[in-house]
Amino acid sequence: MKLLATHITRYWYSEPVSMCHTQVHLRHRACANQTVLQYELTVSPQPGLFTSHKDYFGNEVTSFSVAEPHRELIITARCLAELHPSTLADLEQSPAWEQVRDELPRLRTPEAFEAGQFVFESPLIPAGDPFTAYAAASFPAGRSFLAGVNDLSGRIFTDFRYDQRATTVTTPVDEVFGSRRGVCQDFAHLMIACLRSLGLPARYVSGYVRTGEHFVGAEASHAWVSVWCPVSGWQDFDPTNNTRPHGEHLTLAWGRDYSDVTPVKGVALGGGEQVISVSVDVSPKNGEHSVED
């Protein structure tokens, strides 16, 4: 399936901005189940400086600067990608979760080394007893690792309420745990905190879900969790929708938490008060299409 993703971010300022410096993670990754066919990033006003590089995790990062006075900044990213859904791993055919936890530090493969970086605390995701205790119900002794992860995802979906007004991007995960409310970013952080508190490898994935389907969170950037299993590699789980991403989730970037893959961030000189608007549309495209269609 081919999907065209359009992500528009608008900043309105009460006073002129004389200069801004912005960094974005808006280009989709090329990965096993996803091929990027076309990509276009436009900015208004036109930046005087435009650079791109790969970050530590292999995500493409674009930076730009606008040096002319402006009271509105519009960032539009369009990407046409083709998804290649593979067979989902059997939840019961993975090793016991204790085996994954105990063997990961001893494995000497590049894949295990990469996964080992995602068992530690990160800037927005602490580990701790409350998360360990919550996760324990999903991970009794000897349970299959992936079955436990899937159960944890389902419990977060059931126990927590999706509420766009309950949190902001700065709300700590322990507050989300206490209030039982949040959005996809919060639920991904919470699930990762639970897994890492058990010593299990989990990373934060930023992306989109297809518009117009039954998915919660399709109106903006989405987030879910990827865990590493020695038998089947990285496997994705979406606690916001209690599903396993399989053909309708577009991957933008991944890292330790939201702070590693923030879609748009930057600084501005002047501007006064600001209003931000974000819109996302992800629609299927059949036949020959370009990002301009």
Side-chain angles (χ1 to χ4, degrees), residues 16-68:
V17 170
S18 59
M19 176 177 289
C20 72
H21 301 288
T22 307
Q23 184 180 88
V24 303
H25 286 88
L26 291 175
R27 183 183 177 97
H28 294 68
R29 288 192 69 125
C31 45
N33 299 325
Q34 178 174 291
T35 301
V36 178
L37 302 176
Q38 296 182 44
Y39 174 73
E40 178 186 70
L41 178 68
T42 59
V43 180
S44 178
Q46 179 70 33
L49 175 66
F50 226 118
T51 62
S52 294
H53 71 278
K54 293 288 183 67
D55 67 13
Y56 175 80
F57 301 104
N59 307 304
E60 182 164 319
V61 184
T62 300
S63 301
F64 61 84
S65 298
V66 176
E68 65 177 85

Side-chain angles (χ1 to χ4, degrees), residues 46 59 87 89 96 124 131 153 206 222 258 264:
Q46 179 70 33
N59 307 304
T87 302
L124 300 180
F131 305 118
S153 177
S206 172
H222 196 53
Y258 175 82
V264 180

Side-chain angles (χ1 to χ4, degrees), residues 102-164:
D102 297 342
E103 291 188 358
L104 180 60
R106 299 195 293 267
L107 295 175
R108 294 294 182 264
T109 66
E111 295 79 13
F113 175 79
E114 180 187 10
Q117 302 174 87
F118 295 98
V119 299
F120 304 104
E121 294 182 317
S122 59
L124 300 180
I125 302 180
D129 292 340
F131 305 118
T132 304
Y134 182 79
S138 296
F139 292 93
R143 188 174 201 178
S144 163
F145 171 50
L146 293 182
V149 175
N150 191 60
D151 184 77
L152 176 63
S153 177
R155 289 175 54 225
I156 292 174
F157 175 80
T158 300
D159 295 346
F160 291 75
R161 179 179 175 183
Y162 186 86
D163 185 347
Q164 293 177 298

Side-chain angles (χ1 to χ4, degrees), residues 38 59 99 172 187 191 239 249 262:
Q38 296 182 44
N59 307 304
Q99 182 179 343
F187 302 152
M191 185 169 170
H249 287 61
T262 307

